[in-house]
Structure formats: structure tokens, C-alpha cells
Amino acid sequence: GGSGGDASTQANVRNRALIKTGTVRVEVDDFQRSKSNLTATVEGYGGFVSDTTQERHSVGNETYTTGRLVLRVPAEEFDSLVEDTKAEGEVEVVQTNTEDVTDRLVDIEARLENLRAQRDQLRELYEEANTTEDVLAVQRELSDVQGEIERLEAQKQSLEDRVAYSTLTVELQEPRPTPNRGAPARWYDTPVLSAFL
């Protein structure tokens, strides 16, 4: 009986609508190479890069690059993508989160069914309306109901998209240079206290 219960529980988990998100911060040797690697990796999983930022910094005569990629990947490939990202360099932060939105989707669908039924009734009333006043009143009501249906459909579509495609935000940063400070070229470049000592 125990194994049957486990199978039932696993099936129930699989049927849940889960939104997976995560953040990985990695120090990498070469920003552009890691960016190219991750772009190819996410596309190999059937996903895509939705946003990128990149910034070049200077320390003395040396530069280093930092940036961020937002990767969208089919939910079943999310864990593999996290592991591939961690392999790009020295991992500083890994954070993942799962949000169960099953109940929200069920609630939205129930409200949509009620609103669609209400819309059908209003359309029948519209056909039967005899006076201009009645026609205008039904039109206003119909417009409000239709607007609410469209709002809920957009909300449902957004949730379903986030369930189907997980989001991983990757922060890449090259090591910050630490230029060697040599002896001052001239005596007046020496700080006062150092010169005194």
C-alpha cells in the first residue's frame, strides 16, 4: 500500500502548477565567454535569454566586466541549467525558490467561467432589449464584464507562462584587479606621514 501512496503523491506533485525562480552569482575569468556559453546552454535546453546588462569598470589602468543575464528555460530543465551555471566559475551565491500557484489558477478559471456565463446572459438581454435606455445599460454592463474577462485571461496566461518557463537570473563578474602600487616616482608623491617616517 505504501508504494501506491507514494506514486499517488508524486503524481499529485507533478500536477501542481509551480513557478521556479533562482539567482546565481558567479565570478568568471572571462565575462564574454561565460555569457556565450550560457546563451548556448539555455538555447540548447529550448529556452532563451530575456534580458542582459553589462558594465565595464576601471581600476587604475586595468578593467573588468560585470553583468547580468535573465534566462528563461522550460521548467523541467531548470535544475540542469542551475548546475551548468555554477560550473562557469567560482560560485558566490545560489538561491532558488518555488511558488505553488495551482490554487490561484483554479480560482481564476472558476471566476472566468462565471464571467463568461454572465456575458452570455447579458448578450441575450441585449438582443431582447426594447428601449435605448435598456440597450445602453446592458452595453455598459457587458463592457465591464468583458474587460474583467480580458484582465483575468491575461493574468492566467502570465502565470501559465511563468510555470512553463522558469527564470534564472545570473550575475557574472570578472575578478576585480588589484594593481601593484610601486614606490612613488618623486619625493613629493610620498604622503607626508610616510616621508616623515
Side-chain angles (χ1 to χ4, degrees):
S3 62
D6 291 346
S8 173
T9 301
Q10 288 173 0
N12 189 32
V13 168
R14 277 198 300 273
N15 292 331
R16 304 298 291 178
L18 305 174
I19 294 175
K20 295 180 181 179
T21 57
T23 300
V24 179
R25 187 188 308 149
V26 190
E27 184 175 274
V28 296
D29 293 330
D30 186 323
F31 178 90
Q32 290 300 337
R33 186 175 64 226
S34 291
K35 178 182 175 184
S36 298
N37 289 347
L38 290 173
T39 299
T41 299
V42 76
E43 288 173 355
Y45 285 135
F48 57 95
V49 180
S50 67
D51 294 292
T52 63
T53 60
Q54 183 174 331
E55 192 172 349
R56 197 168 183 81
H57 310 272
S58 296
V59 176
N61 295 326
E62 300 185 60
T63 62
Y64 67 104
T65 303
T66 62
R68 188 182 64 154
L69 308 177
V70 179
L71 309 177
R72 301 292 308 280
V73 70
E76 62 273 15
E77 306 292 357
F78 179 73
D79 293 336
S80 298
L81 180 62
V82 170
E83 291 306 312
D84 290 339
T85 303
K86 287 160 62 177
E88 278 299 313
E90 188 175 333
V91 179
E92 296 187 348
V93 174
V94 178
Q95 182 178 354
T96 59
N97 183 53
T98 302
E99 180 185 1
D100 189 336
V101 293
T102 310
D103 293 341
R104 282 170 64 187
L105 283 169
V106 169
D107 179 56
I108 289 172
E109 190 54 51
R111 288 162 65 190
L112 280 170
E113 283 182 22
N114 289 336
L115 286 166
R116 287 172 186 143
Q118 190 178 343
R119 179 180 62 187
D120 292 342
Q121 290 173 350
L122 287 167
R123 283 175 175 166
E124 289 175 14
L125 285 173
Y126 182 79
E127 295 295 329
E128 296 168 4
N130 295 320
T131 67
T132 304
E133 187 178 333
D134 288 345
V135 167
L136 292 174
V138 173
Q139 273 183 340
R140 277 195 303 272
E141 191 70 24
L142 193 54
S143 177
D144 290 346
V145 169
Q146 184 61 37
E148 183 65 8
I149 288 173
E150 290 172 4
R151 187 185 70 80
L152 286 174
E153 283 176 341
Q155 190 176 339
K156 180 186 174 194
Q157 182 61 47
S158 173
L159 285 172
E160 288 174 342
D161 175 63
R162 290 166 61 202
V163 168
Y165 278 81
S166 301
T167 303
L168 182 66
T169 301
V170 182
E171 298 175 7
L172 300 174
Q173 50 191 39
E174 294 175 345
R176 179 186 173 93
T178 52
N180 294 327
R181 298 195 177 277
R186 299 176 185 84
W187 67 268
Y188 48 78
D189 289 336
T190 306
V192 173
L193 182 58
S194 298
F196 176 78
L197 292 173

